[in-house]
Amino acid sequence: MEASISFLGSTKPNLSSLIPSSNVLHRRDSPLPALKLKKVSVFPKILHQNRLIRAQCSDVLAPNEDDEFVLEDVPHLTKFLPDLPSYPNPLKESQAYAIVKQTFVSSQDVVAQNIVVQKGSKRGVHFRRAGPRERVYFRSDEVKACIVTCGGLCPGINTVIREIVCGLNNMYGVNNILGIQGGYRGFYSKNTMTLTPKVVNDIHKRGGTFLQTSRGGHDTAKIVDNIQDRGINQVYIIGGDGTQKGAEKIYQEVERRGLQVAVSGIPKTIDNDIAVIDKSFGFDTAVEEAQRAINAAHVEVESVENGVGIVKLMGRYSGFIAMIATLANRDVDCCLIPESPFFLEGNGGLFEFIEHRLKENRHMVIVIAEGAGQDYVAQSMHASETKDESGNRLLLDVGLWLTQQIKDHFTNVRKMTINMKYIDPTYMIRAIPSNASDNVYCTLLAQSAVHGAMAGYSGFTVGPVNSKHAYIPISRVTEVTNTVKLTDRMWARLLASTNQPSFLTGEGALQSVIDMETQGNFDNMKISSI
Ligand SMILES: Nc1ncnc2c1ncn2[C@@H]1O[C@H](COP(=O)(O)OP(=O)(O)OP(=O)(O)O)[C@@H](O)[C@H]1O
Ligand SMILES: O=P(O)(O)OC[C@H]1O[C@](O)(CO)[C@@H](O)[C@@H]1O
Ligand SMILES: [Mg+2]
């Protein structure tokens, strides 16, 4: 399964049509006049699932199969519109970039997914570096952009909206920008609003989404009909894993219809459950705000006899907020997350640990992610599974359930008086505006998205990979869920910090966690996500 193509002379033909979609491209640093395309078997299978791995051969350095260099490229409009004209990037004349050493990102610049390497190790997976390109595929006066926000709230959404509008306007002179209201269904069931720098000027100071959001209602054909009818040619889609799956479908339909439409996804999730990127915007703000709730719980429980505080934080399938908020705080005695099964009774169980801490300190604080112990709760409440409009499982209130279980155990079984304080700050955390560092992060995301769309990329998402912003194929960030790895050092650091039980005492418990992480639908490529 190997195609070998050689170039002679300096003008290389566009070979994208010759590349089988499941192939990966290899290269080496010194330009050589030979290109080898080959299916790579050394990478995990995951790399080949539903993914278009293509490279625009004309602008990637010559390859060398021995390096095992993989470029996971994003689609470009010229892939299906080969005659699309291009123009010099107006940033050439921009005052902002006047003294920048290198205004434009070279097509040779890529970002490595794995930066911890050993001497002699393969070069591995890379993504295109984000940023402005020398040539753009839209004239400023012909751009008609739209922005939509979908899924749950997250601090920073308004900053991203603002910076897309200001980025398009200030950097590229685009004046025609629409806000689609109320999520995906807004394309076909609501009016649009005109977005200008003036309209969005101070929205970054507010929480929520200026454009409103929704779950469900993704109808690809209706959405693309609407895009086509309105003459929209750049679509900026801000949302989580579900939203990005929807964005991929929109891109595929756009390609099928042969439309000159750049589809750009900006990953949003307070849960930090999106794969590949370092972390999602709003996450730091959420962790910071969670400190207030944890501190309040601590103040309450240390002021009474046998105080037990429970703080529930968001995290449907991924316990990142709980883990990092715990690590940051130091007053937390125990952190429970969806990835780490726990049990209440018996040796090594939670009740035993609580009793131990109460004897030692007279109080304790538990942080629990909302998705933790869901099966346990459902079992004991005989609850059946229900879903939201997007098909996400609706969670049972594990915080309330745990509060009751602890009360019952200590009052009825141990005959001890305890003082329970349960705090659920989840929506209060999610609804605040983003902090300073998230605002900067949101600005970079928005500007990267704008540069990518103007440069003619489509079906891409943006985000930092090892701190460098990159263009990532949308399907790459949706095929797996980013979760806390119990086998990773970060979880070990937390256990070492709280000195809580690992709850992995049962026979085979450790092995089953390892199996779950290696076989599950998780981001196995990302060894240490934060
Ligand atoms: N597989 C899918 N294909 C097309 N559209 C989808 C898909 N999954 C979800 N969507 C659409 O994406 C939007 C948001 O999805 P969802 O409610 O799951 O939130 P999300 O984007 O994952 O964000 P979060 O989970 O962080 O709140 C909804 O309008 C939903 O219809
Ligand atoms: O806003 P809703 O529909 O109640 O969704 C809540 C869910 O959204 C999330 O905040 C993700 O956006 C999850 O942490 C949480 O379970
Ligand atoms: Mg989601």
Side-chain angles (χ1 to χ4, degrees), residues 350-366:
L350 185 62
F351 290 154
E352 185 189 76
F353 179 63
I354 295 173
E355 194 166 336
H356 173 72
R357 279 287 154 102
L358 288 180
K359 278 195 183 125
E360 213 173 47
N361 299 334
R362 302 256 157 244
H363 65 269
M364 77 169 305
V365 174
I366 300 170

Side-chain angles (χ1 to χ4, degrees), residues 35-152:
L35 177 70
K36 286 210 173 194
L37 302 165
K38 184 183 165 197
K39 213 163 196 164
V40 178
S41 55
V42 292
F43 291 96
K45 221 175 169 187
I46 227 161
L47 284 178
H48 300 294
Q49 287 167 6
N50 337 310
R51 191 148 2 102
L52 234 122
I53 304 167
R54 285 187 189 181
Q56 281 203 280
C57 304
S58 52
D59 64 2
V60 176
L61 288 175
N64 175 355
E65 63 192 285
D66 302 331
D67 289 345
E68 298 290 7
F69 177 98
V70 179
L71 175 66
E72 290 205 25
D73 208 0
V74 292
H76 193 270
L77 289 172
T78 51
K79 185 180 120 195
F80 56 93
L81 297 168
D83 300 325
L84 208 58
S86 67
Y87 314 93
N89 192 323
L91 277 179
K92 266 200 172 103
E93 313 304 329
S94 153
Q95 265 192 44
Y97 281 82
I99 58 155
V100 172
K101 231 193 248 159
Q102 197 190 345
T103 303
F104 300 112
V105 171
S106 156
S107 59
Q108 317 268 323
D109 285 355
V110 290
V111 178
Q113 185 174 28
N114 188 8
I115 53 169
V116 180
V117 293
Q118 293 78 41
K119 193 176 171 203
S121 59
K122 307 288 184 199
R123 298 189 57 195
V125 172
H126 297 72
F127 302 104
R128 264 190 202 279
R129 186 172 187 186
R133 299 313 204 245
E134 190 113 35
R135 299 199 66 80
V136 295
Y137 285 77
F138 293 90
R139 276 203 349 243
S140 301
D141 59 356
E142 66 183 22
V143 172
K144 187 166 186 184
C146 77
I147 307 174
V148 64
T149 59
C150 314

